[in-house]
Protein backbone atom coordinates (compact mmCIF):
# COMPACT_ATOMS: atom_id res chain seq x y z
CA UNK A 1 0.00 0.00 0.00
CA UNK A 2 2.82 2.36 0.91
CA UNK A 3 4.51 1.60 -2.42
CA UNK A 4 1.41 2.72 -4.31
CA UNK A 5 1.34 6.04 -2.46
CA UNK A 6 5.05 6.54 -3.12
CA UNK A 7 4.56 5.94 -6.85
CA UNK A 8 1.60 8.32 -6.89
CA UNK A 9 3.66 10.94 -5.06
CA UNK A 10 6.57 10.57 -7.49
CA UNK A 11 4.20 10.79 -10.45
CA UNK A 12 2.63 13.96 -9.08
CA UNK A 13 6.06 15.39 -8.33
CA UNK A 14 7.26 14.67 -11.86
CA UNK A 15 4.16 16.31 -13.35
CA UNK A 16 4.65 19.34 -11.11
CA UNK A 17 8.27 19.67 -12.22
CA UNK A 18 7.24 19.31 -15.86
CA UNK A 19 4.63 22.04 -15.44
CA UNK A 20 7.19 24.25 -13.71
CA UNK A 21 9.73 23.72 -16.50
CA UNK A 22 7.05 24.64 -19.01
CA UNK A 23 6.37 27.98 -17.37
CA UNK A 24 10.02 28.83 -16.61
CA UNK A 25 11.36 31.44 -18.99
CA UNK A 26 15.20 31.44 -18.86
CA UNK A 27 15.37 35.14 -19.78
CA UNK A 28 12.83 36.26 -17.19
CA UNK A 29 14.29 33.96 -14.54
CA UNK A 30 17.81 35.31 -15.19
CA UNK A 31 16.59 38.91 -15.09
CA UNK A 32 14.83 38.25 -11.78
CA UNK A 33 17.96 36.59 -10.38
CA UNK A 34 20.03 39.65 -11.33
CA UNK A 35 17.46 41.93 -9.69
CA UNK A 36 17.70 39.82 -6.53
CA UNK A 37 21.49 40.07 -6.60
CA UNK A 38 21.30 43.84 -7.00
CA UNK A 39 18.94 43.98 -4.03
CA UNK A 40 21.45 41.94 -2.02
CA UNK A 41 24.15 44.34 -3.16
CA UNK A 42 22.20 47.33 -1.88
CA UNK A 43 21.72 45.64 1.49
CA UNK A 44 25.41 44.73 1.61
CA UNK A 45 26.39 48.31 0.81
CA UNK A 46 24.12 49.51 3.60
CA UNK A 47 25.70 47.06 6.06
CA UNK A 48 29.16 48.07 4.88
CA UNK A 49 28.38 51.75 5.46
CA UNK A 50 27.07 51.00 8.96
CA UNK A 51 30.14 48.96 9.90
CA UNK A 52 32.44 51.64 8.47
CA UNK A 53 30.62 54.28 10.50
CA UNK A 54 31.00 52.18 13.65
CA UNK A 55 34.71 51.65 12.95
CA UNK A 56 35.17 55.40 12.47
CA UNK A 57 33.34 56.08 15.72
CA UNK A 58 35.48 53.54 17.60
CA UNK A 59 38.65 55.08 16.19
CA UNK A 60 37.50 58.56 17.13
CA UNK A 61 36.52 57.42 20.62
CA UNK A 62 39.92 55.77 21.07
CA UNK A 63 41.66 58.98 20.10
CA UNK A 64 39.44 61.00 22.43
CA UNK A 65 40.14 58.66 25.36
CA UNK A 66 43.85 58.73 24.61
CA UNK A 67 43.77 62.52 24.64
CA UNK A 68 41.74 62.45 27.86
CA UNK A 69 44.24 60.10 29.55
CA UNK A 70 47.07 62.41 28.56
CA UNK A 71 45.14 65.38 29.93
CA UNK A 72 44.49 63.68 33.30
CA UNK A 73 48.16 62.83 33.63
CA UNK A 74 49.07 66.44 32.86
CA UNK A 75 46.61 67.67 35.50
CA UNK A 76 48.04 65.30 38.11
CA UNK A 77 51.50 66.66 37.39
CA UNK A 78 50.26 70.24 37.71
CA UNK A 79 48.64 69.46 41.08
CA UNK A 80 51.87 68.00 42.40
CA UNK A 81 53.77 71.03 41.12
CA UNK A 82 51.38 73.35 42.97
CA UNK A 83 51.88 71.37 46.17
CA UNK A 84 55.62 71.55 45.68
CA UNK A 85 55.50 75.31 45.15
CA UNK A 86 53.28 75.77 48.19
CA UNK A 87 50.30 76.98 46.23
CA UNK A 88 48.24 74.03 47.54
CA UNK A 89 48.29 71.83 50.55
CA UNK A 90 50.28 68.71 49.81
CA UNK A 91 47.58 66.37 51.11
CA UNK A 92 44.86 68.00 48.98
CA UNK A 93 47.09 68.10 45.94
CA UNK A 94 47.94 64.42 46.27
CA UNK A 95 44.27 63.49 46.74
CA UNK A 96 43.28 65.31 43.59
CA UNK A 97 46.31 63.94 41.76
CA UNK A 98 45.29 60.40 42.72
CA UNK A 99 41.76 61.07 41.40
CA UNK A 100 43.19 62.45 38.20
CA UNK A 101 45.48 59.44 37.75
CA UNK A 102 42.57 57.07 38.45
CA UNK A 103 40.58 58.74 35.70
CA UNK A 104 43.64 58.54 33.49
CA UNK A 105 43.69 54.77 34.03
CA UNK A 106 39.99 54.56 33.20
CA UNK A 107 40.57 56.53 30.01
CA UNK A 108 43.55 54.34 29.12
CA UNK A 109 41.40 51.25 29.66
CA UNK A 110 38.76 52.69 27.35
CA UNK A 111 41.49 53.49 24.83
CA UNK A 112 42.52 49.85 24.78
CA UNK A 113 38.93 48.67 24.49
CA UNK A 114 38.09 51.18 21.76
CA UNK A 115 41.25 50.29 19.84
CA UNK A 116 40.39 46.59 19.92
CA UNK A 117 36.83 47.28 18.80
CA UNK A 118 38.09 49.58 16.07
CA UNK A 119 40.48 46.91 14.78
CA UNK A 120 37.68 44.35 14.85
CA UNK A 121 35.41 46.69 12.91
CA UNK A 122 38.17 47.42 10.40
CA UNK A 123 38.58 43.68 9.78
CA UNK A 124 34.83 43.38 9.32
CA UNK A 125 34.90 46.32 6.92
CA UNK A 126 37.59 44.61 4.85
CA UNK A 127 35.59 41.36 4.67
CA UNK A 128 32.38 43.16 3.75
CA UNK A 129 34.21 45.20 1.12
CA UNK A 130 35.56 42.00 -0.44
CA UNK A 131 32.06 40.52 -0.45
CA UNK A 132 30.64 43.66 -2.04
CA UNK A 133 33.35 43.67 -4.71
CA UNK A 134 32.75 39.99 -5.44
CA UNK A 135 29.00 40.56 -5.66
CA UNK A 136 29.52 43.48 -8.04
CA UNK A 137 31.76 41.31 -10.21
CA UNK A 138 29.18 38.52 -10.29
CA UNK A 139 26.39 40.91 -11.23
CA UNK A 140 28.49 42.32 -14.07
CA UNK A 141 29.36 38.81 -15.26
CA UNK A 142 25.73 37.64 -15.08
CA UNK A 143 24.57 40.72 -16.98
CA UNK A 144 27.02 39.86 -19.76
CA UNK A 145 25.80 36.25 -19.67
CA UNK A 146 22.23 37.53 -19.94
CA UNK A 147 23.06 39.35 -23.17
CA UNK A 148 24.53 36.13 -24.57
CA UNK A 149 21.58 34.11 -23.27
CA UNK A 150 19.12 36.43 -25.00
CA UNK A 151 20.98 36.04 -28.29
CA UNK A 152 21.15 32.25 -27.91
CA UNK A 153 17.48 32.04 -26.98
CA UNK A 154 16.51 34.16 -29.97
CA UNK A 155 18.55 31.94 -32.28
CA UNK A 156 17.15 28.78 -30.69
CA UNK A 157 13.56 30.01 -31.07
CA UNK A 158 14.13 30.92 -34.70
CA UNK A 159 15.72 27.53 -35.38
CA UNK A 160 12.89 25.76 -33.58
CA UNK A 161 10.26 27.59 -35.65
CA UNK A 162 12.04 26.71 -38.89
CA UNK A 163 12.40 23.07 -37.89
CA UNK A 164 8.76 22.93 -36.81
CA UNK A 165 7.73 24.42 -40.12
CA UNK A 166 9.79 21.87 -42.02
CA UNK A 167 8.40 19.07 -39.86
CA UNK A 168 4.83 20.25 -40.48
CA UNK A 169 5.45 20.50 -44.21
CA UNK A 170 6.79 16.95 -44.33
CA UNK A 171 4.01 15.65 -42.12
CA UNK A 172 1.41 17.09 -44.50
CA UNK A 173 2.95 15.13 -47.37
CA UNK A 174 4.04 18.18 -49.36
CA UNK A 175 7.60 16.96 -49.69
CA UNK A 176 6.41 13.45 -50.53
CA UNK A 177 4.03 14.89 -53.16
CA UNK A 178 6.84 16.87 -54.79
CA UNK A 179 9.01 13.77 -54.87
CA UNK A 180 6.20 11.77 -56.48
CA UNK A 181 5.66 14.48 -59.09
CA UNK A 182 9.36 14.46 -59.89
CA UNK A 183 9.33 10.67 -60.28
CA UNK A 184 6.22 10.90 -62.44
CA UNK A 185 7.85 13.49 -64.69
CA UNK A 186 10.86 11.20 -65.04
CA UNK A 187 8.57 8.32 -65.97
CA UNK A 188 6.77 10.46 -68.56
CA UNK A 189 10.09 11.51 -70.09
CA UNK A 190 11.18 7.87 -70.29
CA UNK A 191 7.83 6.89 -71.85
CA UNK A 192 8.09 9.66 -74.43
CA UNK A 193 11.59 8.53 -75.34
CA UNK A 194 10.37 4.94 -75.68
CA UNK A 195 7.58 5.99 -78.06
CA UNK A 196 10.11 8.00 -80.04
CA UNK A 197 12.41 5.00 -80.35
CA UNK A 198 9.48 2.85 -81.46
CA UNK A 199 8.47 5.43 -84.08
CA UNK A 200 12.02 5.61 -85.42
CA UNK A 201 12.17 1.83 -85.57
CA UNK A 202 8.87 1.71 -87.50
CA UNK A 203 10.09 4.32 -90.00
CA UNK A 204 13.29 2.36 -90.60
CA UNK A 205 11.38 -0.82 -91.44
CA UNK A 206 9.11 1.06 -93.88
CA UNK A 207 12.13 2.58 -95.60
CA UNK A 208 13.72 -0.83 -96.02
CA UNK A 209 10.53 -2.21 -97.53
CA UNK A 210 10.22 0.71 -100.00
CA UNK A 211 13.83 0.35 -100.98
CA UNK A 212 13.41 -3.37 -101.62
CA UNK A 213 10.36 -2.79 -103.79
CA UNK A 214 11.97 0.05 -105.77
CA UNK A 215 14.94 -2.01 -106.82
CA UNK A 216 18.45 -0.80 -107.41
CA UNK A 217 19.09 2.59 -109.06
CA UNK A 218 21.18 0.93 -111.81
CA UNK A 219 18.37 -1.38 -112.96
CA UNK A 220 15.94 1.49 -113.00
CA UNK A 221 18.30 3.49 -115.23
CA UNK A 222 18.67 0.52 -117.66
CA UNK A 223 14.91 0.22 -117.97
CA UNK A 224 14.60 3.91 -118.71
CA UNK A 225 17.30 3.68 -121.43
CA UNK A 226 15.63 0.68 -123.08
CA UNK A 227 12.32 2.47 -123.14
CA UNK A 228 13.94 5.52 -124.76
CA UNK A 229 15.66 3.40 -127.48
CA UNK A 230 12.43 1.63 -128.23
CA UNK A 231 10.71 4.93 -128.62
CA UNK A 232 13.40 6.07 -131.05
CA UNK A 233 13.31 2.80 -132.99
CA UNK A 234 16.82 1.95 -132.07
CA UNK A 235 16.18 -1.57 -130.82
CA UNK A 236 18.67 -4.17 -132.13
CA UNK A 237 15.90 -6.31 -133.58
CA UNK A 238 14.93 -3.49 -136.00
CA UNK A 239 18.45 -2.80 -137.23
CA UNK A 240 19.33 -4.16 -140.91
Amino acid sequence: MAGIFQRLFKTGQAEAHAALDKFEDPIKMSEQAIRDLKKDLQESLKSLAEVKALAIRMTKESEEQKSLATDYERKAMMLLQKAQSGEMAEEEAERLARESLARKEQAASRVLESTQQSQSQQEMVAKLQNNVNELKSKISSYENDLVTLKARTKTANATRKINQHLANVDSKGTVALLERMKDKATEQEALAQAYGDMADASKSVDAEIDQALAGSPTLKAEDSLAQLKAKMGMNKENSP
Side-chain angles (χ1 to χ4, degrees):
M1 192 69 176
I4 295 176
F5 284 115
Q6 287 180 352
R7 287 196 296 271
L8 289 174
F9 174 75
K10 289 182 178 179
T11 301
Q13 191 177 35
E15 291 178 353
H17 287 166
L20 182 61
D21 291 339
K22 183 178 180 181
F23 287 104
E24 282 183 346
D25 186 332
I27 301 298
K28 292 181 179 179
M29 296 293 289
S30 298
E31 290 175 341
Q32 182 60 47
I34 291 175
R35 284 194 293 269
D36 292 340
L37 286 176
K38 287 184 176 180
K39 184 178 179 181
D40 293 340
L41 176 61
Q42 292 301 320
E43 293 177 355
S44 298
L45 288 172
K46 182 180 178 181
S47 298
L48 177 60
E50 291 174 351
V51 174
K52 278 186 174 182
L54 185 58
I56 292 172
R57 191 179 73 181
M58 291 294 102
T59 301
K60 186 176 181 180
E61 183 177 346
S62 176
E63 292 174 353
E64 289 176 352
Q65 293 299 321
K66 187 183 295 185
S67 177
L68 188 60
T70 302
D71 188 54
Y72 277 126
E73 184 178 11
R74 182 181 61 81
K75 288 179 178 180
M77 292 175 64
M78 290 175 64
L79 288 168
L80 293 176
Q81 287 174 355
K82 281 191 174 187
Q84 187 177 11
S85 64
E87 296 179 21
M88 288 184 64
E90 183 178 354
E91 184 178 353
E92 181 66 13
E94 289 181 355
R95 183 183 69 81
L96 292 175
R98 281 193 293 270
E99 289 290 337
S100 184
L101 291 175
R103 295 190 178 186
K104 173 202 169 185
E105 293 299 326
Q106 292 176 357
S109 177
R110 287 194 292 269
V111 167
L112 180 60
E113 182 180 353
S114 298
T115 301
Q116 291 176 346
Q117 290 182 357
S118 177
Q119 290 176 350
S120 177
Q121 294 301 319
Q122 291 293 346
E123 292 175 358
M124 183 65 69
V125 166
K127 290 180 180 179
L128 286 175
Q129 186 65 60
N130 288 335
N131 292 338
V132 166
N133 292 339
E134 184 177 356
L135 190 54
K136 285 181 178 179
S137 177
K138 285 184 177 180
I139 290 174
S140 178
S141 176
Y142 290 148
E143 285 178 335
N144 292 333
D145 291 342
L146 179 60
V147 174
T148 303
L149 180 60
K150 286 181 178 180
R152 290 176 58 190
T153 302
K154 186 176 181 180
T155 302
N157 289 335
T159 304
R160 176 178 54 81
K161 289 180 180 179
I162 292 173
N163 290 337
Q164 285 180 341
H165 180 69
L166 291 176
N168 291 334
V169 167
D170 190 45
S171 64
K172 293 177 182 177
T174 304
V175 174
L177 176 62
L178 292 174
E179 291 295 331
R180 286 199 304 272
M181 293 301 100
K182 185 170 68 175
D183 293 341
K184 189 171 183 179
T186 302
E187 291 177 0
Q188 290 178 348
E189 289 175 351
L191 184 61
Q193 184 176 355
Y195 278 122
D197 293 342
M198 291 173 63
D200 291 341
S202 177
K203 289 179 181 179
S204 298
V205 172
D206 290 339
E208 290 178 0
I209 293 173
D210 291 340
Q211 185 177 359
L213 293 175
S216 65
T218 304
L219 292 176
K220 187 174 182 181
E222 290 294 334
D223 291 341
S224 298
L225 180 60
Q227 291 176 2
L228 181 60
K229 285 182 177 182
K231 186 176 181 180
M232 295 174 64
M234 296 175 64
N235 290 333
K236 292 181 179 181
E237 292 81 0
N238 297 329
S239 59

